[in-house]
Amino acid sequence: MKIFRKIIDGCVGFMQKYLPEPFIFAIILTFVAILIAMPVCHQSITEVVVNWGGGVWNLLGFSMQMALVLVTGATLAAAPLIKKGISKLASMPKTPAGAIALVTGISAVACWLNWGFGLIVGAIFAKEIAKKLQGVDYRLLIASAYSGFVVWHAGISGSIPLKMASDVNELVKDTNGVITSVIPITNTILDPHNIIMVVIVTIALVVINSLMHPKTGIVAIDPALLQDDAVETHGHASNENASHKTPAMKLENSRLLSALLALLGLSFLIISLFFKHKSFDLGSVILLFLFLGIVLHKTPIAYVRSFAKSVSGAAGILLQFPFYAGIMGIITGVGESGICLGTVVSEAFINISTSTTYPIYTFLCAAILNMFVPSGGGHWAIQAPIMFAAGEALNVDHGLTGMAIAWGDAWTNLIQPFWALPALAIAKLNAKDIMGFCLIDLVVSGIIIISGLLIWAI
């Protein structure tokens, strides 16, 4: 245990010292990509700059989807019924290790259901436990809440498997004609191999996070966090007292209006999914959580207020996504040499692959690219035209190839601070405060995922 504690302390200290603020991290990655692309792809500085600038706005639509997934998920997590349930659950653990275990498990399940919901509900739950339980390390609580994010792309809001289950014409275009029919989620998300991997990874994170709790040097919650909640609650109460003075205010506080709107939206989803047999894609996830949130907030004005509050959590996404889209432009850009950096990286892994090892190398390739392009859509744009063709040549199932990309995309999110921003905003911590713990989770989960992909491929 002493060696394990030294490793943990070393990882925490390393991240505290060397990990910059996430926006700075994005800037550094931009210049790293430029410096690699020039010699490897034989591109001039002008070509690289043009590729970067041409890519900056290429993910606007996907950025909007990602922001809406986050905000609708966060708003649902803030609904009174959900928050009441969180408060009750937060009273259950009686020891720090038990608290860490519970936060990890709930976060993983919530992230599997919806990554935006999981990120926020995990952070809120961890914060609530820190208010109620003395002696628990607040940094590890938030790190545990974030660690469940590693199962995101293996869950029902994973952008890559949902894209594979979406429009067939888009699939044909994106894969250069390799995939000619949709891949249902029963072959990806709900495949028994994937479900078993999710369960084992979750159990392992619960155990390892509990073991990481320090005996000394515990960092407790900042009391200012408690005061913020009290101020916000009081501010909203004063508005509710005047809720029925005018016809406009009556409409704003109409439960009937919310119920009718939610009925409309949920009816559309039911018709689309069960009667017209449409795919359960990213848009469906957003609509589901949007209208469930409207129901649980009860009135339109309550949902508007909560939504507005949740939007601030998407600030990091809105700021940094154009820069990561620019990096994607560098990774996918082609100059006069005709060489693309993303293709170079992908083909390097393809060249050393067999039908058995191909999913593992696909996973590792996606994990490396994720450090530069932390976006499932970005990975899809880079890897879909290459990896599925190679997988078909090696007789590897398309569902397995897609999930290998998805797991790789999710895995290095544990040390890529981009997606931790909403949770950190709620917790009022810096990325360096939690990434040391997440580095340990990266190693443990990586061993399990690689083993799982290998068994799936055999």
Side-chain angles (χ1 to χ4, degrees), residues 206-433:
V206 167
V207 173
I208 200 70
N209 287 344
S210 300
L211 293 175
M212 280 197 287
H213 196 276
K215 302 293 184 183
T216 59
I218 294 170
V219 177
I221 189 172
D222 185 348
L225 291 172
L226 304 176
Q227 297 174 6
D228 289 348
D229 287 346
V231 170
E232 288 166 2
T233 301
H234 175 74
H236 282 198
S238 63
N239 289 330
E240 292 299 325
N241 291 334
S243 62
H244 300 290
K245 286 189 175 180
T246 68
M249 288 180 177
K250 288 181 180 180
L251 286 174
E252 290 171 353
N253 289 276
S254 171
R255 295 192 178 194
L256 177 61
L257 199 58
S258 284
L260 290 174
L261 180 60
L263 179 62
L264 175 66
L266 293 174
S267 296
F268 168 75
L269 274 179
I270 292 171
I271 292 170
S272 296
L273 297 175
F274 296 102
F275 293 95
K276 293 186 176 295
H277 305 292
K278 299 288 186 179
S279 300
F280 188 72
D281 56 14
L282 198 56
S284 301
V285 172
I286 293 170
L287 287 178
L288 177 63
F289 282 89
L290 169 65
F291 292 112
L292 282 179
I294 289 172
V295 168
L296 292 177
H297 279 280
K298 297 181 180 179
T299 68
I301 193 64
Y303 189 79
V304 168
R305 288 171 180 162
S306 184
F307 191 94
K309 184 178 176 183
S310 299
V311 165
S312 62
I317 294 175
L318 298 177
L319 171 63
Q320 295 182 38
F321 237 92
F323 289 91
Y324 281 104
I327 295 172
M328 193 180 84
I330 297 172
I331 301 293
T332 60
V334 178
E336 290 185 6
S337 64
I339 303 174
C340 162
L341 183 56
T343 302
V344 171
V345 174
S346 298
E347 288 181 347
F349 283 97
I350 291 171
N351 291 335
I352 59 174
S353 297
T354 65
S355 59
T356 302
T357 62
Y358 182 72
I360 297 173
Y361 287 125
T362 300
F363 163 77
L364 293 174
C365 178
I368 292 171
L369 289 173
N370 183 60
M371 297 301 296
F372 295 89
V373 188
S375 155
H379 280 262
W380 182 260
I382 294 170
Q383 293 189 279
I386 305 167
M387 307 309 283
F388 285 103
E392 185 169 81
L394 291 169
N395 200 30
V396 177
D397 180 72
H398 291 319
L400 174 54
T401 299
M403 291 312 296
I405 297 172
W407 274 106
D409 185 12
W411 183 50
T412 42
N413 281 334
L414 286 170
I415 55 171
Q416 220 294 1
F418 180 71
W419 293 111
L421 294 174
L424 293 171
I426 290 172
K428 297 190 176 179
L429 291 177
N430 294 317
K432 63 182 68 177
D433 294 323

Side-chain angles (χ1 to χ4, degrees), residues 12 22 37 136 162 182 186 213 299-300 308 330 357 422:
V12 171
V136 62
L162 289 183
V182 296
T186 51
H213 196 276
T299 68
I330 297 172
T357 62

Side-chain angles (χ1 to χ4, degrees), residues 32-56:
V32 168
I34 290 172
L35 293 175
I36 293 175
M38 289 174 64
V40 171
C41 300
H42 308 293
Q43 294 179 6
S44 68
I45 183 63
T46 301
E47 288 176 322
V48 174
V49 170
V50 169
N51 288 336
W52 173 80
V56 165

